[in-house]
Amino acid sequence: MKLLRVGAPGEEAPAVLAEDGTVRLLTGLTGDVDGAFLAGGGVERVRAALAAGELPALDADGLRIGAPVARPGKVVCIGLNYRDHAAETGAAIPTRPVVFMKDPATVVGPYDEVLIPRGSVKTDWEVELAVVIGRRARYLESPAAAAACVAGYAVSNDVSEREFQLEFSAQWDLGKSCETFNPLGPWLVTPDEVGDPQALGMRLSVNGEVRQDGDTKEMVFDVPYLVWYLSQYMVLNPGDVVNTGTPAGVALGRGDQPYLRAGDVVELSVDGLGTQRQTFVDA
């Protein structure tokens, strides 16, 4: 199942993309696709309503697509989680996950403009697999218990300002939490449709030139391990988002370091999860 939210910022309506390609409104079932919906059996209600033909169709042509989950309580990110990305940045492969937080307000729609911060000279891209939490995860007993806590997956662009991140502070927050720095979506795809999250190809291009071409099988720490690990140190709540890392090919790791400038267009995708497209503009 592919859940989405359609409409202007702050006015998104919850919807589902049916198998026949039509968009169906969920306003009769829920006010939004959020933590309460995911934790309260919302996916099951949508599945039943779809099967019964109870959901009205929506002509979504020309309508904005927002982030597929509303108001994440937190965005937790994993750094250096692909061996080739660690190598290109000159970092050692981590023996424990590298964890940092990103301001949840950075989450925007998959086709929204992304703002290059004032004073930025090193704005970078990162295609990532995002995990959306559907059930409270607290001190999980093992990675095997993580599957029951995952509501689904989405494409994420963990946009980063490298000078802010690596040169202006000992923490990464300054370069990760700039306005609009986390396009998410277009869909929240449920685990039954995704299959193995460690077998998904992922790609990113800038102005039509391929920059990243990786696969989630190359993760240092897989999705079940990450959800279990994080639950030992924080409570993951329904609606929270976990960005699981990026493969090689970022500007930081290239000799010419072709950082993003106003007018650049970034397109990215993950197998089965859809495609994003953003134009970068000056803030």
Side-chain angles (χ1 to χ4, degrees), residues 105-127:
T106 59
V107 174
V108 295
Y111 309 112
D112 290 347
E113 288 183 337
V114 174
L115 303 179
I116 296 176
R118 295 178 184 180
S120 168
V121 294
K122 295 183 179 180
T123 294
D124 206 347
W125 58 83
E126 292 189 18
V127 59

Side-chain angles (χ1 to χ4, degrees), residues 16 20 67 105 123 138 163 195 200 205 216 227 231-232 240 250 253 255 266:
V16 62
D20 63 2
T123 294
R138 174 181 179 270
E163 186 177 36
L200 303 175
S205 66
T216 57
V227 174
S231 79
Q232 308 306 302
D240 287 350
V250 299
V266 174

